[in-house]
Amino acid sequence: MIIEDIMIKDVITLTQDATIEQAIETVKEKKIRHIPIVDDNQNLVGLLCDVDIRSATPSIFRIDEYKDDLLKPVSEIMVKEVLTAHPLDFVEEVAYTFYDRRISCMPVVSNQRLIGIVTETDLLHTYVELTGANQPGSQIEIKVRNRPGTLSEIAAIIKRMNANVNSIFIYPFKDDPAVKVLVLRVQTMNPTKIIDSLSSEGFEVIWPAGPEMES
């Protein structure tokens, strides 16, 4: 999946000569946390986050004293060195950048022009969709050796059970590179028969597990 598929395309922006007061009003009115700053050609020149705006907002007890500060341009408080994404970037690569750089949004640009924005909420929503957690079903985790053909064998078993797989994830098992954990989201509310069939074929199901599954 690429960023173009999940980005917000109708982006609320301000120009760099807009006032801090305008930025405060925009955040409150539109209920957003990030405002890309653009020039007259929609080229990205900066970024404002709610943290920047709050830091520049005078205390309500001293607002008259610092009222002139609200009339200053947002160019004085915006972030000018902005991390950006390209519409053809892969979602997982952008997600890693969010994690690694501890950011909460990335404007999406093409040829320097702003064409969208991606936030941590968009990435979380995408993760939920990719895992199938937003659909009725059950999660099964299987510990397997890292060898060719394992996934197709498991898929064949699930097919025999007339069940659909909503999603598949694979992650390493602790510190053993020769072992993987397959996480399957299966479209059934009762996975007992699938688990029994997997176990009878020699696969180690590590979730769900326990006396309630054995009865």
Side-chain angles (χ1 to χ4, degrees):
M1 182 176 289
I2 59 176
I3 286 297
E4 188 175 38
D5 295 332
I6 71 167
M7 70 183 187
I8 299 169
K9 297 178 181 179
D10 186 15
V11 187
I12 296 169
T13 63
L14 289 174
T15 56
Q16 53 191 332
D17 57 354
T19 65
I20 295 174
E21 185 174 33
Q22 287 177 291
I24 294 171
E25 292 173 352
T26 300
V27 166
K28 289 181 179 178
E29 179 186 346
K30 301 297 183 179
K31 297 181 180 179
I32 56 176
R33 295 176 52 201
H34 315 93
I35 306 177
I37 309 302
V38 297
D39 61 17
D40 293 337
N41 296 316
Q42 283 296 109
N43 293 326
L44 183 72
V45 296
L47 179 67
L48 267 184
C49 295
D50 55 349
V51 175
D52 305 316
I53 296 172
R54 285 199 303 269
S55 299
T57 304
S59 166
I60 59 174
F61 301 108
R62 308 182 68 181
I63 195 165
D64 290 334
E65 183 179 349
Y66 293 98
K67 196 167 185 179
D68 288 346
D69 288 345
L70 296 177
L71 301 179
K72 292 180 179 179
V74 295
S75 58
E76 293 192 12
I77 64 170
M78 70 183 186
V79 176
K80 297 179 182 178
E81 298 294 328
V82 184
L83 288 173
T84 62
H86 187 274
L88 299 182
D89 286 343
F90 289 112
V91 169
E92 56 268 36
E93 293 174 352
V94 171
Y96 176 75
T97 301
F98 271 63
Y99 167 79
D100 185 54
R101 302 298 293 271
R102 299 179 182 272
I103 58 176
S104 57
C105 85
M106 287 182 75
V108 182
V109 300
S110 179
N111 296 323
Q112 296 186 326
R113 294 186 70 252
L114 179 75
I115 61 171
I117 190 170
V118 174
T119 70
E120 56 191 353
T121 301
D122 301 319
L123 291 177
L124 181 59
H125 178 74
T126 301
Y127 174 77
V128 169
E129 288 192 328
L130 288 175
T131 58
N134 59 334
Q135 303 177 38
S138 302
Q139 182 166 305
I140 302 174
E141 297 189 12
I142 311 163
K143 180 181 173 184
V144 299
R145 304 298 297 179
N146 187 16
R147 63 175 179 80
T150 300
L151 184 57
S152 62
E153 292 171 7
I154 292 173
I157 294 171
I158 296 174
K159 181 181 179 181
R160 289 202 301 268
M161 297 293 103
N162 294 317
N164 290 326
V165 177
N166 290 334
S167 67
I168 301 175
F169 276 78
I170 304 174
Y171 67 87
F173 179 76
K174 298 179 180 179
D175 298 323
D176 189 347
V179 177
K180 301 289 185 180
V181 175
L182 300 184
V183 183
L184 307 176
R185 188 78 180 177
V186 184
Q187 199 171 0
T188 177
M189 299 308 294
N190 184 0
T192 304
K193 291 183 179 180
I194 296 175
I195 292 171
D196 289 344
S197 185
L198 287 167
S199 298
S200 67
E201 294 286 340
F203 290 103
E204 183 180 352
V205 178
I206 59 177
W207 179 267
E212 66 277 5
M213 293 305 303
E214 297 172 0
S215 58

